[in-house]
Amino acid sequence: MSRYRIPGLGRVDPAKPVSFTFDGKRYTGLRGDTVASALLAHGVHLMGRSFKYHRPRGPVTAGSEEPNALIGTSRGPGRFEPNTRATVQELREGLVTESQNKFPSLKFDIGAVNDRAYMLFSAGFYYKTFMWPRSFWDKVYEPFIRAAAGLGKSPTEADPDDYASRYLHTDVLVVGGGAAGISAALVAAKSGARVVLVDENPEMGGSLLSDPAVRIEGRGSWAWLADQMSQLRAAGVTLMTRTTAIGYYHQNMVGLVERLTDHLDHPPAGAPRERMWRVRAGQVILAQGALEKPLVFDGNDRPGVMLAGAAQTYLNRYGVKVGDCAAVVTSHDSAWYAAFDLVDAGGRVAAIADLRAEVRPDLVEAARKRGIEVLTGHTATATYGRLRVKAVRVNPVRNGQVGAGRKIACDALLISGGWTPSLHLFSHTKGSLTWDEASRTFLPNHKTEACQIAGAGRGLWGYGPVLEDGAKAGLAAVEALGRTGLPLSAKVEGDRPGTGTSQKELPTDRSAGKAKAFVDYQNDVTAKDIRLAVREGMRSIEHVKRYTTNGMATDQGKMSNINGLMIAADALGKEPPQVGLTTFRPPYTPTSFGTFAGYHKGATFELTRKTPIDPWAEAHGAVFEPVSLWRRAWYFPQGTEDMHQAVARECRMTRASAGMFDASTLGKIEVAGPDAVEFMNRMYTNPWTKLAPGRCRYGLLLGEDGFIRDDGVIGRLGQDLFHVTTTTGGAARVMNMMEDYLQTEWPDLNVWLTSTTEQWSTVAVNGPNARNVLAPLVEGLDLSDAAFPHMSVAECTVAGLPARLFRISFTGELGFEINVPARHGLALWKAIHEAGQRYDICPYGTETMHVLRAEKGYIIVGQDTDGTITPQDAGLDWAVGKAKKDFVGKRSLQRPDIVAPNRKQLVGLLTEDGTRLEEGAQIVLDPNQSLPMTMAGHVTSSYDSVALGRPIAMAVITGGHGRMGETVHIPMPNGTVRATITSTNFYDPDGERLKA
């Protein structure tokens, strides 16, 4: 048994020892221990060094708010993690841990020289130093700063673990498994609501786990807890331990991180390490409790100095006393109870020094019965000891004057400055806070989400009031959901009510300018640093925070914010609410990158979407390329063909007879409703009112800035129904844009938008024989040019499948696009392929599609446009309805810089020597100009054209439309190439082939 382990106490399992190492030395803990509790059981308080001064540090808390005891942990190859909080890391067999921020060792750290030179490292020193000599920056200052920056060592190996993510919908989500949360969850569950109760600890119970002496409903608190857990399970409540609510977002979505395997000796193969939950709840109940505040005085950071509540937790939950002889300095009643528990367990408390002149008589009497010296109206002014506290100096305070001090020997100093409600999640919602003068702290006020706050999280103290408040919160939540609940009550015996006072830094009889009274333990921010920030002009708490780094450590100011605010307010001569409160942001506690990434790693880093026709393409040897999130067939090589040969064959066969193309990835949106026409008129540049059902039109979509955002062919299927196509990569963007305008700008329009990209599988058939291939498969529709001309659409049957048939072309040839329900896409493809055999139909991929469209001068948004191209720049001003009253981007098209003649405009290029240009190659007008040359534009598309027997290119060139026939110059790796500016329509300029 470890020296400081008390047999019979705690919730750890003495029959299950667990071996681990810390800084290479092997220790043994018990199942249920954390690294911190196991080390404390061996008398090890020194667990790390502070960031700036490299001062020795030990655990100050027993929970996730820990700022000091940050360690590196290793669970095997590739599984090293820095900055793990020793206070929450559960023991597992063979766990390897190490201290951080020290050299060469934890006990002897050369970096501690900074502590002796602390006067050089005052707040904001980095803004005032490293300025001179300027030449030192690159070779001296910057390398030094980079070497000193950071806490812990970054992992160097790829993370081999898996991470999961899931969505969850529930009626009531309760955050916090303490007394208030349990009470709220049980009331809500008994109403029939679906309830989820989450807590970041390995077991539910909250502070009750550290307070076994309290009796509830005639039973000890642990027995009551066990019964409540049984009732919750019987009521169908989902209990999630080791689960932290890291963020509270709009519309009652809460992000949870569940730790799944870090505590297991042998995790199952393939089991995820952590899981991210995105929970959408009808009502959220925040029962996160409160966080104990440290007291700010000289030497309050030595190992062995810890919060009284933490010592109570180590004693009652883990069976570990934190020292042989403790002393207590407090301004709150709760520390007295911690002292009583320690003495009752066989420990010794030398004295309780309370800053308050008057303390409840029953507490004083209980202390004296236990042989504890009581010192009311006393302050702490110093501690002693190098690697662990050995004594504390306390002084009486009378009428604001600090008297002579006395030294009290101790090997543990328990401190408490009262409690701060945990407001982080509530603040994520932008809910307002109010200052409570009585408790000198902020409390939740106006709510912006459907939530309730219960228990200590709203300033209540004592188990009786907290249990009652939790039940009320559960009742309010279910009533807000339209359910009927029944109130619950619980009788508490031996309750531990408490009050206290809030402090700035404690009164001292020593020089405040030399005192190392720490406010932010991790970043080494002292009380004098905050006062210095105020003297140097920082008036807002946000400015004080950034100037001093107070509250910017991994604990996000859980331990330091209120103390820092009280000191800053005192320095400014203002009340705390006038100074403000810093912003709390997600995540609530440090969260691994892997958890945020979830399944997005390796082969699943980015979702790969495949069309229903993809298996056929793969079976027939297609080479694929990624297009947006889709995998698309790039080309179909035959025999020993390379890409150039395969694409040339596909182009030649399509123009000669027939080709077929999988166009399923095109975005598709249905615009339906009585106001569909008006909506289309407002969104697109083209007029739509006179477009008859059964006809199609090319649609051009602009942003408010007048630049091209997307394009596509749009078919009108009825008076109130449009089938809109978008580019493959623009589907989601266009849908979001439409929804944004519909919901925020034109909510009066009676229109419904439905994304149907994945509901339709699309096959394009192009070439002189396209009609001949398709006609035998079509029922109920005459495909002749007279009956079904170019830019027509109809619903019919194709290959026995219900279809939307478009006569459109992106190749310049006679073309059709057949849309069938996605589940029939492969059957349609096979049917067309079989019917086309007599015409030597050729499946082609995206590269051939690019070549064929470029020969006709058809643009691809995002390739031939760059976000600064207008319809006029692209030669598409014919697609702009000149008589239209308004559309998105119309006003911007009239701006002087938009209509300026020297804008970059889309043109064609033909090289004089037949060289194929590189896409992205820069263009100059005068190759003999001095460097740096003035760039006139760049090549956007470039291909070898089989139909023309030469390379072609498209480019944007300054004033390009007015430079037809001029020669431009393109620097290439093998020399400068001359090219002539031409029209972008290289092939069949009159469009006779697509009208056949």
Side-chain angles (χ1 to χ4, degrees), residues 756-771:
T756 58
T757 300
E758 294 183 327
Q759 276 59 54
W760 295 103
S761 186
T762 307
V763 178
V765 181
N766 292 278
N769 284 314
R771 183 182 290 111

Side-chain angles (χ1 to χ4, degrees), residues 133-154:
R134 189 171 183 178
S135 60
F136 272 39
W137 177 255
D138 289 336
K139 296 186 186 250
V140 179
Y141 296 149
E142 184 177 16
F144 169 76
I145 292 170
R146 289 190 179 278
L151 191 63
K153 297 182 298 185
S154 296

Side-chain angles (χ1 to χ4, degrees), residues 95-216:
L95 179 67
V96 176
T97 67
E98 62 181 47
S99 57
Q100 300 183 153
N101 209 40
K102 87 287 184 182
F103 179 81
S105 69
L106 184 59
K107 290 185 177 181
F108 179 75
D109 178 19
I110 292 176
V113 67
N114 290 2
D115 191 32
R116 296 297 180 93
Y118 72 95
M119 296 298 286
L120 300 176
F121 298 102
S122 60
F125 77 94
Y126 28 78
Y127 298 120
K128 309 168 191 172
T129 54
F130 310 117
M131 300 292 184
W132 183 89
R134 189 171 183 178
S135 60
F136 272 39
W137 177 255
D138 289 336
K139 296 186 186 250
V140 179
Y141 296 149
E142 184 177 16
F144 169 76
I145 292 170
R146 289 190 179 278
L151 191 63
K153 297 182 298 185
S154 296
T156 57
E157 301 173 84
D159 186 350
D161 284 317
D162 294 319
Y163 297 85
S165 59
R166 289 186 65 180
Y167 287 87
L168 176 65
H169 293 263
T170 188
D171 295 325
V172 179
L173 171 66
V174 183
V175 180
I182 291 171
S183 181
L186 192 56
V187 169
K190 288 186 175 181
S191 75
R194 295 171 299 165
V195 179
V196 176
L197 175 62
V198 304
D199 193 273
E200 64 182 352
N201 294 296
E203 57 181 331
M204 301 287 179
S207 60
L208 285 170
L209 298 174
S210 306
D211 244 343
V214 175
R215 298 182 63 79
I216 305 174

Side-chain angles (χ1 to χ4, degrees), residues 760-947:
W760 295 103
S761 186
T762 307
V763 178
V765 181
N766 292 278
N769 284 314
R771 183 182 290 111
N772 296 330
V773 171
L774 202 56
L777 301 177
V778 176
E779 300 175 30
L781 183 66
D782 180 0
L783 293 187
S784 67
D785 186 57
F788 197 62
H790 183 59
M791 299 301 278
S792 296
V793 60
E795 293 185 308
C796 60
T797 300
V798 180
L801 305 170
R804 288 180 179 175
L805 179 60
F806 290 75
R807 183 178 168 187
I808 54 178
S809 174
F810 198 49
T811 64
E813 300 291 340
L814 170 66
F816 300 88
E817 288 187 6
I818 310 98
N819 292 265
V820 298
R823 64 185 182 277
H824 299 310
L826 184 57
L828 173 69
W829 178 272
K830 290 179 177 179
I832 294 174
H833 186 257
E834 182 179 351
Q837 291 307 300
R838 60 183 295 190
Y839 300 102
D840 294 326
I841 196 166
C842 175
Y844 64 88
T846 53
E847 187 66 17
T848 293
M849 177 269 291
H850 279 277
V851 176
L852 298 178
R853 67 90 194 172
E855 290 173 343
K856 284 295 296 176
Y858 298 150
I859 70 167
I860 290 184
V861 174
Q863 180 169 334
D864 299 307
T865 68
D866 63 359
T868 65
I869 300 297
T870 69
Q872 184 177 3
D873 298 336
L876 297 173
D877 47 330
W878 55 266
V880 178
K882 307 299 190 294
K884 287 183 65 175
K885 179 180 177 181
D886 197 11
F887 55 80
V888 175
K890 177 178 173 61
R891 182 175 59 180
S892 294
L893 293 180
Q894 307 304 315
R895 291 187 299 158
D897 59 327
I898 294 294
V899 298
N902 62 342
R903 290 184 54 81
K904 288 184 178 180
Q905 297 165 337
L906 190 65
V907 297
L909 290 180
L910 294 176
T911 57
E912 292 183 359
D913 61 0
T915 300
R916 177 180 169 181
L917 299 174
E918 289 187 359
E919 292 180 351
Q922 296 296 306
I923 300 169
V924 298
L925 300 179
D926 177 10
N928 299 315
Q929 61 184 292
S930 59
L931 298 176
M933 292 186 178
T934 300
M935 301 300 168
H938 68 277
V939 178
T940 62
S941 298
S942 181
Y943 308 98
D944 287 316
S945 170
V946 174

